[in-house]
Amino acid sequence: MTTDNTMTIAGEAINGRLWLGTSLYPSPEIMRDSLIAAQPGFVTLSLRRQTAQQVADNGHWQYVQTFVEQSGCKILPNTAGCHSADEALLLANMARELFKTDWIKLEVIGDDYTLQPHPTELLKAADTLVQQGFKVLPYCTDDLVLCKELLAAGCPAVMPWGAPIGTGKGLLNRHQLMTLRERLANDVLIIDAGLGKPSQAMDALELGFDAVLLNTAVAKAHDPVLMAKAFSDAVNAGRMAYRAGMMQERQVASASTPTLGMPFWHQS
């Protein structure tokens, strides 16, 4: 089966349109097996509330490192849990030192109840990190103006939410997401957060989004390994459907069987 699984961001090939987080799994072994099943383009890791040495000594990290080395996917450290630009800058530079990568998923939370990103602190941090040579992938809302500003600051892609983190509600604001895809037609857009079902990931790819990032939907499934494979298949199917070009919806029925030459045919 032919797939279109490779994408380019900041001049680098990313070999997978499904990206996975590495927290909340029942065990490091199940996390490893889930990553193998999904073959993600990126795997995310957080340093929040841990020192660099603690992360380096963590068996969880060793499994991730082994998978990355064997699969060729990329590490995407994140700044989860930060509430200010200054916090995010400190964590991003720690991550670059530890993981030897300029890639960073930028999170700056503005509300602890919804985990909604803080727009001004996010933009402030993104601007500084880009100047420091990071490849910044910011987690943001689906606000068109904010996305445009982040791209103008030098972010090679933006990552609007589908729904609040961990809710599993899918694409809550399809109209706004479709607007983003239409207005930012030549930019890389990744749905980050809120996906709970493979069908929701497929929906995002069918709308033309370039990739999806998720964690809880796989890690908290009854069978995370099987769910990881299900999401992988759904993302591939959604991308193929988008490339194939889907039929337009109609308000009235349209027969799929031609009527020309049929006996007793008449128009009422």
Side-chain angles (χ1 to χ4, degrees):
M1 175 170 43
T2 301
T3 62
D4 176 26
N5 209 30
T6 300
M7 56 192 299
T8 302
I9 307 177
E12 292 192 34
I14 311 300
N15 297 317
R17 295 178 183 273
L18 171 62
W19 304 356
L20 283 184
T22 55
S23 64
L24 304 177
Y25 289 87
S27 70
E29 292 81 9
I30 291 177
M31 177 205 67
R32 175 201 59 203
D33 292 345
S34 298
L35 296 178
I36 292 171
Q39 291 297 303
F42 273 114
V43 292
T44 64
L45 281 166
S46 174
L47 294 182
R48 189 62 176 170
R49 301 185 184 90
Q50 298 182 77
T51 67
Q53 189 60 47
Q54 285 173 326
V55 173
D57 292 341
N58 194 329
H60 172 96
W61 158 238
Q62 299 302 325
Y63 277 111
V64 175
Q65 185 178 38
T66 299
F67 170 76
V68 169
E69 291 172 351
Q70 293 177 349
S71 70
C73 83
K74 294 181 182 294
I75 285 285
L76 182 61
N78 68 43
T79 61
C82 292
H83 290 77
S84 71
D86 288 342
E87 283 185 293
L89 293 173
L90 178 62
L91 207 59
N93 278 279
M94 182 188 296
R96 178 157 66 178
E97 179 180 351
L98 176 61
F99 300 121
K100 311 302 180 187
T101 180
D102 293 328
W103 290 99
I104 192 75
K105 177 190 171 185
L106 177 62
E107 295 185 36
V108 184
I109 300 302
D111 180 75
D112 286 329
Y113 182 73
T114 62
L115 299 181
Q116 180 171 324
H118 194 304
T120 54
E121 291 295 299
L122 183 69
L123 186 57
K124 177 181 175 183
D127 186 64
T128 300
L129 288 171
V130 168
Q131 293 181 41
Q132 292 178 350
F134 283 90
K135 301 179 182 72
V136 181
L137 303 180
Y139 162 62
C140 58
T141 62
D142 53 18
D143 182 275
L144 173 62
V145 176
L146 176 59
C147 288
K148 290 173 68 175
E149 289 295 317
L150 289 165
L151 291 166
C155 297
V158 289
M159 305 176 69
W161 64 358
I165 294 173
T167 61
K169 291 183 177 294
L171 307 183
L172 287 182
N173 195 342
R174 287 176 57 85
H175 173 75
Q176 185 62 17
L177 292 173
M178 291 171 69
T179 298
L180 285 182
R181 184 67 284 176
E182 179 182 345
R183 295 289 302 278
L184 304 174
N186 297 318
D187 296 297
V188 178
L189 305 179
I190 296 99
I191 293 293
D192 180 11
L195 300 181
K197 302 174 183 177
S199 58
Q200 296 165 352
M202 182 185 292
D203 192 15
L205 271 291
E206 287 179 349
L207 289 180
F209 282 81
D210 297 283
V212 295
L213 193 158
L214 55 103
N215 185 96
T216 309
V218 170
K220 289 297 186 181
H222 295 300
D223 186 337
V225 178
L226 186 59
M227 186 62 75
K229 182 63 167 63
F231 267 99
S232 178
D233 290 345
V235 166
N236 287 337
R239 177 62 182 177
M240 284 190 288
Y242 175 72
R243 291 188 64 211
M246 287 163 284
M247 64 169 285
Q248 296 296 311
E249 293 185 8
R250 297 169 56 92
Q251 295 299 318
V252 296
S254 175
S256 58
T257 303
T259 56
L260 185 64
M262 291 180 63
F264 311 116
W265 171 254
H266 70 278
Q267 293 185 343
S268 58

